[in-house]
Amino acid sequence: MNQPNPTLSEWIATDGERASCVRATTLGDVIAEAAGHWGDREAIVYRQQPAVEPVSWTFAELDRLSGQLAAALLAVGYRTGDRIAVWGPNHPEWVLLEYAIAKAGMVIVALNPLYRSAELAFALADSRAKGIFHADQVGDHGLAATIAEVSGDLPDLAYAHSFSSIWSELLAGDAGECVRVEVDPEQTFMIQYTSGTTGVPKAVRLSHRALLTTGYNSYRLWELGEQSRVCFGFPLFHVGGSGHSIPGACQTGATAFPLYIFKPSITLDILEAERCTTFIGVPTMLIAMLDDPSFASRDLSHLTAIIVGGAPVTLDLLQRCHEGFGAEVMNCYGQTETSGVTATTRLDDSDAKKTSTSGQPVVGVSVSIRDDGGHPVPHGALGELHYRGPGGMIGYGSGEGDPAVGQGWIASGDLARMDADGFVALDGRKKEMIIRGGENLSPLEIETYMKTHPAIGDVAVIGVPDPKYGEVACAVVRLRPGASPDAQEIRGWCAERISRWKVPEYVEFVDDFPMTPSGKIQKYILQKDMIERLQLAADE
């Protein structure tokens, strides 16, 4: 593995390292290979989940069923290169479709199941989807009716199928021969929309090679393999689910337990009854499980590793996980644009590294922390993180003619620091930086301090308008069960520990945060809500 620059915040992978780590294959090929290696082993399992009929597919069964579904798609009228949207929670059929679409040489368009009509219409039109597979219901929302509502304005949309139609129509009776089309690993396989925390949807095109390489290399760094039973909480429409956990498990022989929808008690049921060795999710999921009334009675002795993405791990949460789950925690960082993982800590890293950094770049990945002029900054200095590596997106925009990135540098929009050993510490989004009277305040830094308060279960810090300073910090707090401090008490606690200009001007309490399905707080919604609650809009 390459070493960091001795003076500047750069970690540059060698040409040899980049070449040796690449998985030059497709998802359709790797499920066929997995069936040859681990045919009788469970590949995808849905049990202990009341909302879903139990499913257990071996690698051989998943290979066969996805091949038959690929043949059925071609028989219906789809052609290689067509875009097929998938719209629903983490149904087993989502996984089956992912492999089938890969085998047929088509492109999967991953859609957020919480979309309403305007968002759905935009994504289907933007991606030029020829068909859509959908769940029947998400909460009280009937998805077929929404598709019918928008389809008249979508000339490219020729087909709409429910997930249940896979069994009643496409795979009914004699499903016929399996199909696997020859596909270039460099071609677009997945289109993801990055609308979660900004509200502005952007299509990200990811290739087979990018997804498979990132999934394989990170699973290997986490020491996951044939004996691993991996429960993951990321939605399948999210890169952490379909783009990372599915191909990562398939290539290493791990058994995957996707969560239909995260619920703490049900997740604990799965971890316990299925003797899972690994959980992959976000900190809010861990906190919810630790706070679940049934947690103390659980037998989680088989759980050895917890992998956390999406937000930093505090020392308090790490210690709670050690004591409660009895498992080692690894923290990672990535983006949709980099196929899910850019850097990660390892099992044997210190607690200090796991809580103050997101680890070192994964094999084959180069990272450069740069100033506004595009120059690498010294170790420890703040700058924007740039990525270059085999997991990089093809480009933004849903069309092949849209602006492409290729193998160039990708500006992340994230502020970070790098130490002399190449460990990367995130310091929030550039766009989320609060400018208070000319002083830059990092919301992430303030959140990290506040999460050590014994009464705070979770916190999000946002900027709100102020007539004197232009902008000040507002901390939105969700308290732990049974805790009841007031705003002034929390502000006083902060004043004893951090500089006075970093102490939030406002402390507001909520029972729940507006969340993306992947477990990230939607700060743009929270900011709007707090401005209205505090009646600050007139000063904006």
Side-chain angles (χ1 to χ4, degrees), residues 244-424:
H244 184 264
S245 289
I246 292 298
C250 181
Q251 294 175 93
T252 56
T255 300
F257 296 80
L259 295 179
Y260 172 65
I261 294 174
F262 173 77
K263 293 183 182 297
S265 61
I266 291 174
T267 305
L268 290 168
D269 289 343
I270 296 168
L271 295 177
E272 183 175 25
E274 300 295 344
R275 299 185 174 187
C276 291
T277 63
T278 307
F279 177 76
I280 303 177
V282 297
T284 52
M285 295 176 181
L286 300 178
I287 293 167
M289 286 191 284
L290 288 163
D291 288 342
D292 188 84
S294 72
F295 185 80
S297 65
R298 301 290 188 163
D299 177 6
L300 303 175
S301 56
H302 287 84
L303 193 69
T304 59
I306 295 171
I307 297 151
V308 183
V313 177
T314 63
L315 183 59
D316 174 69
L317 180 57
L318 185 79
Q319 291 170 342
R320 291 185 74 193
C321 287
H322 284 166
E323 295 167 5
F325 291 104
E328 287 296 325
V329 178
M330 288 174 280
N331 185 26
C332 66
Y333 157 78
Q335 294 184 298
T336 303
E337 291 87 342
T338 66
S339 299
V341 180
T342 295
T344 182
T345 58
R346 275 69 162 178
L347 278 170
D348 58 357
D349 284 333
S350 68
D351 286 356
K353 292 294 189 186
K354 290 176 179 178
T355 55
S356 64
T357 81
S358 295
Q360 297 168 313
V362 301
V363 60
V365 168
S366 298
V367 167
S368 178
I369 312 296
R370 300 178 178 178
D371 60 23
D372 290 341
H375 307 293
V377 300
H379 292 153
L382 189 66
E384 183 180 7
L385 186 148
H386 289 67
Y387 168 102
R388 186 180 68 194
M393 65 178 175
I394 296 172
Y396 284 120
S398 62
E400 295 301 330
D402 287 320
V405 174
Q407 294 306 298
W409 288 96
I410 298 172
S412 70
D414 288 321
L415 296 171
R417 306 174 195 272
M418 180 183 286
D419 67 17
D421 296 317
F423 284 83
V424 175

Side-chain angles (χ1 to χ4, degrees), residues 228-243:
S228 300
R229 296 171 68 80
V230 182
C231 176
F232 65 86
F234 284 109
L236 288 169
F237 84 86
H238 185 277
V239 72
S242 60

Side-chain angles (χ1 to χ4, degrees), residues 71-251:
L73 291 174
L74 291 167
V76 164
Y78 292 102
R79 294 293 175 261
T80 298
D82 283 345
R83 278 90 183 277
I84 299 180
V86 183
W87 190 33
N90 288 9
H91 284 266
E93 287 78 12
W94 215 117
V95 179
L96 186 60
L97 281 162
E98 180 173 356
Y99 284 107
I101 290 168
K103 285 190 172 188
M106 300 169 190
V107 178
I108 188 167
V109 182
L111 300 183
N112 187 328
L114 299 182
Y115 277 171
R116 289 300 189 257
S117 57
E119 298 158 313
L120 177 67
F122 168 82
L124 292 176
D126 181 70
S127 64
R128 301 189 302 281
K130 188 171 182 178
I132 181 171
F133 282 82
H134 62 90
D136 292 327
Q137 201 85 7
V138 175
D140 60 355
H141 182 203
L143 303 196
T146 303
I147 294 168
E149 177 187 341
V150 304
S151 60
D153 296 322
L154 300 169
D156 293 312
L157 189 69
Y159 307 102
H161 322 261
S162 69
F163 286 160
S164 59
S165 71
I166 292 173
W167 308 107
S168 62
E169 299 172 20
L170 297 176
L171 292 181
D174 182 6
E177 296 184 3
C178 297
V179 165
R180 191 163 95 240
V181 174
E182 194 71 28
V183 180
D184 181 357
E186 304 288 344
Q187 289 183 348
T188 299
F189 167 58
M190 183 175 289
I191 295 176
Q192 294 264 348
Y193 282 91
T194 61
S195 60
T197 55
T198 65
V200 182
K202 265 193 303 192
V204 175
R205 303 197 312 279
L206 299 167
S207 68
H208 286 269
R209 187 192 76 155
L211 295 167
L212 292 171
T213 298
T214 304
Y216 179 81
N217 289 333
S218 53
Y219 262 56
R220 286 302 190 197
L221 285 172
W222 296 332
E223 301 182 23
L224 303 181
E226 299 175 22
Q227 305 307 314
S228 300
R229 296 171 68 80
V230 182
C231 176
F232 65 86
F234 284 109
L236 288 169
F237 84 86
H238 185 277
V239 72
S242 60
H244 184 264
S245 289
I246 292 298
C250 181
Q251 294 175 93

Side-chain angles (χ1 to χ4, degrees), residues 31-32 35 57-70 96 103 171 175-179:
I31 186 57
W57 289 322
T58 65
F59 285 100
E61 288 170 334
L62 191 53
D63 180 43
R64 174 179 58 81
L65 286 170
S66 60
Q68 291 172 341
L69 183 54
L96 186 60
K103 285 190 172 188
L171 292 181
E177 296 184 3
C178 297
V179 165

